[in-house]
């Protein structure tokens, strides 16, 4: 059925002026990579002398907060299966593997007084194995794995985190900096702060809106800057690497593109989501975005907080120290939302005070005809990726951008043609942005394998490789998307006509490994997605 239908729609798309029938190429020096994070894949939560992380604590004490009440105690067991992981990265023909370090695996209590030899050795072996196959390690120093002991001091809301993070970073730079040439300090500060402290979502799950998230952001930006300055002064001259930060957002599409108010809401959302951390580092003058400073100051006064804003103020010296502390702009993005203004009557019914109330934007995906995924929040709108990259390009004077995460979820299965279409669509949008001037130098697919998806547990799958979580070996099997992505990285080319099938052995493995509901998904689901993917691309061009 696929072979009969596909050419018809390729032809249709061509008639609409789409390049679907033509191969589209990336530059030969484009950075291709695939990503993972420590808590999501490693397991070994108490192996050797590893300390407890905030995610260990949350999942063990409040399993009811996780959709399937699971935890990452074993997950994909990459603490023991890391050699297979490297083979998978090699099979994908990517040049870069983005992974993160677990702070409590390296420093069990978060302090220099106890450094784990086993933890240091684990990452050292992983790095050496990657280099053996000419794969560049791209290492994230902090991807949400704070030692629980430090959280008991207040975590990122306590300024003491700044020297502690610097100590931790110094150690890993001393241990691995001779071999690691691309670093990111912190992954998704917005999630760390707003989803950790502002709402009950990510660990430590505070649900304290409007105040601690801004304290967190303030300390996090200063901690990031101190680490980058230390790297540039003490390590970069001899090690020759680069260091940046990874921000994240969903593109805020104006609900009514003809409405000036909705366009203003979109811009305000970008300033609050990306500008909160992007402006102090990447803008010409530094500091928080003007709209954030003014809105939070005015609302704080209205709410009875007196003359002092809930958004802390940087000194002039701090503004200068933070500005310019990134060698590239890392961005994670998966989807888009429709946005409109919240208005004075708080139609969004946000807590007062709160980040969302301060931003004054109501987001939704209601009424859109964008294809869905395995996650309620993730709908497929590739134009949003183009718009986001062009916004960063314009707002921050053409920085080098690396897409450090992009991918799509499903509920399981090896015949993941929907994921193939997603990558083709979003990579086409990345190319569109590059052709229009955006300085995008690399793309990291999320993720290498199915893993622990935070509050969604194991219910949502983002992997290019299927992991059998019922097997003691956590057997990994390539999905259709792994073969397509490998071909893309090998050729630097988006080829819509390349739609491989599972071979007989893979079919048997798939049937044995998949849950009952996954065994029924096959070509029929792929056909509907391929039509949607190709027609959507045709309409967007």
């Amino acid at each position: 059925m696929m072979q009969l239908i596909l050419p018809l729609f390729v032809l249709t798309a061509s008639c609409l002026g789409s390049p679907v029938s033509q191969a589209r190429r990336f530059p030969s020096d484009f950075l291709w990579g695939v990503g993972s994070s420590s808590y999501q894949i490693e397991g070994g939560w108490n192996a050797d002398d590893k300390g407890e992380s905030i995610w260990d604590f949350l999942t063990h004490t409040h399993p009811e907060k996780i959709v399937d009440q699971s935890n990452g105690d074993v997950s994909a067991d990459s603490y023991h299966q890391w050699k297979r992981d490297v083979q998978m990265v090699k099979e994908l023909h990517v040049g870069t593997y983005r992974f993160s370090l677990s702070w409590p695996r390296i420093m069990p209590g978060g302090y220099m007084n106890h450094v784990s030899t086993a933890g240091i050795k684990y990452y050292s072996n992983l790095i050496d194995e990657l280099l053996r196959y000419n794969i560049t390690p791209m290492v994230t120093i902090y991807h949400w794995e704070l030692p629980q002991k430090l959280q008991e001091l207040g975590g990122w809301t306590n300024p003491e985190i700044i020297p502690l993070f610097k100590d931790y970073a110094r150690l890993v730079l001393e241990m691995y900096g001779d071999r690691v040439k691309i670093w990111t300090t912190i992954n998704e500060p917005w999630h760390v702060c707003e989803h950790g402290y502002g709402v009950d979502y990510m660990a430590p799950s505070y649900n304290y809106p409007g105040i601690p998230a801004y304290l967190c952001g303030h300390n996090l930006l200063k901690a990031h800057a101190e680490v980058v300055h230390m790297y540039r002064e003490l390590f970069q001259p001899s090690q020759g690497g680069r260091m940046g930060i990874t921000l994240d957002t969903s593109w805020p599409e104006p609900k009514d593109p003809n409405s000036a108010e909705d366009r203003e809401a979109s811009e305000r959302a970008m300033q609050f989501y990306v500008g909160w951390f992007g402006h102090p580092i990447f803008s010409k003058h530094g500091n928080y975005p003007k709209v954030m400073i003014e809105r939070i100051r005015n609302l704080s006064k209205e709410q009875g907080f007196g003359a002092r804003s809930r958004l802390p103020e940087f000194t002039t010296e701090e503004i200068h120290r933070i500005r310019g502390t990134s060698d590239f702009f890392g961005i994670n993005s998966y989807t888009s939302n429709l946005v409109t203004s919240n208005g004075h009557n708080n139609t969004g019914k946000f807590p007062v005070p709160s980040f969302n109330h301060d931003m004054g934007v109501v987001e939704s995906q209601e009424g859109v005809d964008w294809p869905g995924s395995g996650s309620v929040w993730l709908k497929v709108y590739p134009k949003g990726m183009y718009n986001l990259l062009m916004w960063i390009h314009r707002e921050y004077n053409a920085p080098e951008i690396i897409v450090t995460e992009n991918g799509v979820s499903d509920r399981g299965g090896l015949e993941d043609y929907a994921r193939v279409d997603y990558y083709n669509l979003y990579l086409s949008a990345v190319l569109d942005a590059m052709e229009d001037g955006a300085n995008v130098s690399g793309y990291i697919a999320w993720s290498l394998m199915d893993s622990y998806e935070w509050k969604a547990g194991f219910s949502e799958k983002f992997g290019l490789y299927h992991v059998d979580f019922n097997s003691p070996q956590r057997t990994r099997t390539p999905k259709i998307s792994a073969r397509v992505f490998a071909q893309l990285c090998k050729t630097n080319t988006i080829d819509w006509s390349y739609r491989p099938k599972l071979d007989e052995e893979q079919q048997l493995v798939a049937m044995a490994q998949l849950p009952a509901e996954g065994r029924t998904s096959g070509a029929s689901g792929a056909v509907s997605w391929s039509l949607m993917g190709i027609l959507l691309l045709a309409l967007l061009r």
Side-chain angles (χ1 to χ4, degrees), residues 83-159:
K83 282 197 173 183
R84 172 62 181 135
D85 293 354
V86 175
Q87 286 302 312
M88 286 149 54
V89 176
K90 178 174 172 280
E91 289 164 15
L92 289 170
H93 293 289
V94 298
T96 302
Y97 180 40
R98 178 179 181 247
F99 64 94
S100 71
L101 307 174
S102 166
W103 190 341
R105 192 177 298 287
I106 290 171
M107 292 180 173
Y111 288 91
M112 282 293 295
N113 70 321
H114 182 189
V115 174
S116 168
T117 305
I120 293 288
K121 187 178 176 186
Y122 170 67
Y123 295 112
S124 188
N125 288 340
L126 175 60
I127 290 164
D128 285 345
E129 187 77 356
L130 289 165
L131 293 174
R132 193 176 146 210
Y133 295 104
N134 296 317
I135 298 162
T136 300
M138 182 179 190
V139 178
T140 303
I141 298 173
Y142 184 80
H143 195 131
W144 309 356
E145 266 207 273
L146 190 69
Q148 175 61 19
K149 285 290 183 189
L150 300 188
Q151 189 56 54
E152 288 163 17
L153 290 177
W156 288 97
T157 65
N158 185 342

Side-chain angles (χ1 to χ4, degrees), residues 220-286:
L220 188 150
L221 279 162
K222 290 197 270 190
H224 156 81
E226 288 309 308
V227 168
V228 173
H229 282 293
M230 175 179 66
Y231 181 63
R232 288 176 176 174
E233 290 160 19
L234 302 181
F235 298 98
Q236 203 171 35
S238 60
Q239 295 177 354
R242 300 195 299 155
M243 183 175 283
I245 191 168
T246 281
L247 310 185
D248 74 288
T249 193
S250 300
W251 170 253
E253 182 75 10
K255 192 169 186 178
D256 177 359
N258 298 315
S259 160
E261 191 178 27
D262 286 2
R263 292 197 304 272
E264 203 174 286
S266 172
E267 176 61 23
R268 197 160 65 247
M270 285 301 293
Q271 294 293 343
F272 267 74
Y273 279 119
V274 176
W276 181 3
F277 299 97
H279 225 72
I281 297 170
F282 296 99
S283 72
K284 187 177 178 182
H285 300 293

Side-chain angles (χ1 to χ4, degrees), residues 6-68:
L6 189 60
L8 171 65
F9 276 81
V10 171
L11 181 63
T12 305
S14 295
C15 294
L16 288 169
S18 162
V20 166
S21 58
Q22 304 162 8
R24 298 191 72 197
R25 293 186 63 85
F26 283 82
S28 57
D29 61 350
F30 194 74
L31 180 155
W32 292 107
V34 65
S36 69
S37 86
S38 50
Y39 183 76
Q40 290 183 273
I41 67 166
E42 284 178 9
W45 84 274
N46 61 352
D48 299 310
D49 54 349
K50 179 185 169 290
E52 185 181 35
S53 76
I54 53 174
W55 276 94
D56 295 324
F57 182 80
L58 176 70
T59 56
H60 294 161
T61 56
H62 290 287
E64 75 281 359
K65 292 191 176 186
I66 311 302
V67 167
D68 56 8

Side-chain angles (χ1 to χ4, degrees), residues 404-457:
T404 37
E405 283 182 31
N406 180 238
V408 71
S409 62
D410 58 26
R411 294 291 172 144
L414 295 184
E415 292 185 289
D416 58 340
Y417 293 102
R419 183 169 286 107
V420 170
D421 289 336
Y422 180 97
Y423 280 126
N424 286 342
L425 284 165
Y426 272 72
L427 282 164
S428 293
V430 171
L431 262 180
D432 292 343
M434 292 168 69
E435 287 168 2
D436 287 344
N439 180 18
V440 184
S441 64
Y443 177 95
I444 313 286
W446 189 268
S447 61
L448 174 59
M449 67 191 116
D450 295 340
S451 59
Y452 188 76
E453 283 304 325
W454 311 110
K455 291 296 281 285

Side-chain angles (χ1 to χ4, degrees), residues 138-249:
M138 182 179 190
V139 178
T140 303
I141 298 173
Y142 184 80
H143 195 131
W144 309 356
E145 266 207 273
L146 190 69
Q148 175 61 19
K149 285 290 183 189
L150 300 188
Q151 189 56 54
E152 288 163 17
L153 290 177
W156 288 97
T157 65
N158 185 342
E160 179 66 12
I161 198 74
I162 299 165
L164 293 177
F165 183 65
K166 190 176 175 182
D167 285 346
Y168 163 52
R170 183 195 299 269
L171 176 66
V172 301
L173 290 168
E174 286 171 350
M175 293 293 106
Y176 311 129
D178 59 327
R179 292 162 288 164
V180 174
K181 303 306 174 190
I182 315 180
W183 295 92
T184 48
T185 53
I186 294 160
N187 180 75
E188 299 187 356
W190 183 87
H191 271 83
V192 172
C193 295
E194 174 58 14
H195 268 183
Y197 297 90
V199 297
D200 179 3
Y201 197 69
M202 298 292 192
S205 204
Y206 265 31
N207 198 26
Y208 186 164
I211 295 173
Y214 298 130
L215 299 176
C216 166
H218 209 64
N219 292 326
L220 188 150
L221 279 162
K222 290 197 270 190
H224 156 81
E226 288 309 308
V227 168
V228 173
H229 282 293
M230 175 179 66
Y231 181 63
R232 288 176 176 174
E233 290 160 19
L234 302 181
F235 298 98
Q236 203 171 35
S238 60
Q239 295 177 354
R242 300 195 299 155
M243 183 175 283
I245 191 168
T246 281
L247 310 185
D248 74 288
T249 193

